[in-house]
Amino acid sequence: DAGITQSPRHKVTETGTPVTLRCHQTENHRYMYWYRQDPGHGLRLIHYSYGVKDTDKGEVSDGYSVSRSKTEDFLLTLESATSSQTSVYFCAISQEGLNYEQYFGPGTRLTVT
Amino acid sequence: AQKITQTQPGMFVQEKEAVTLDCTYDTSDPSYGLFWYKQPSSGEMIFLIYQGSYDQQNATEGRYSLNFQKARKSANLVISASQLGDSAMYFCAMREETGNQFYFGTGTSLTVIP
C-alpha cells in the first residue's frame, strides 16, 4: 500500500473556526491533491500541488487554502469553517505520467456545527 | 461540460453474473488515461484498472476488464462473476496529457444480490 496518511481522521468543529487537515506521504510523489466527497457529487477537486510551493485551484476552491512546504506534506486549511464544508476529505498522490494512478489516503470526516 | 459521465446511479446484479458499469468521457487531448476505482462502504478508494488512450487492447485485471471504445468516448467497466464483496461505489476517472488533474464521475453504486 502507498504510504499516505491523513490527520485527523475525524473532526467536529464550530462554524467560524479555522481548521487544518494534514496529508503526509512517504512515496516522494510529485503530485498531491485534496478532494471533498459529498453524496451525489462524487469526488470534487479542491486544490492540488505539483511540487513544493507549487499549487493550483480545483473546481471547488472557494473557502479553502493549501500549502506545501515539503514534498511529503500537503496542508488544507479552512480559514473560517462553514456548515457547507461538512464533508469527507480525501488526499491523493500521484507520480507524473498519464499511466500513473492516484493513491488515496483514508479520508477525514469533518463536521462543522 | 462534464469531463466524465456515469449515468447509472445504482445497479443490481445477481451473484456470479457479469455486470457492466458505464462511463463516457469528454476530452480533446490526443493522449489521456482512464481509471476505475472502487469505494466499499468502509470508505477507502481502491484503484482497479487503467486504460491508456493509445492502448490497442482492452485492459484486464483479474475479473475486471475495461471495454474501451475510443470513437464513442466510452470506457465501461465489466466485472465478471460478481461476488458479494463487489458491492461498492465505482468511480470512473480521466487524466489528460495537458494537465495534472484527475476528473471523476459521480459514481455508480453496485449491489450484488445473493
Side-chain angles (χ1 to χ4, degrees), chain A residues 81-96:
Chain A
T82 67
S83 59
S84 65
Q85 293 174 313
T86 292
S87 188
V88 178
Y89 291 85
F90 283 97
C91 177
I93 62 175
S94 179
Q95 297 184 69
E96 186 167 12

Side-chain angles (χ1 to χ4, degrees), chain A residues 9-27:
Chain A
R9 294 292 314 280
H10 303 270
K11 186 170 182 66
V12 180
T13 192
E14 293 185 349
T15 297
T17 60
V19 176
T20 295
L21 308 183
R22 179 182 184 238
C23 178
H24 179 78
Q25 62 149 328
T26 57
E27 304 296 320

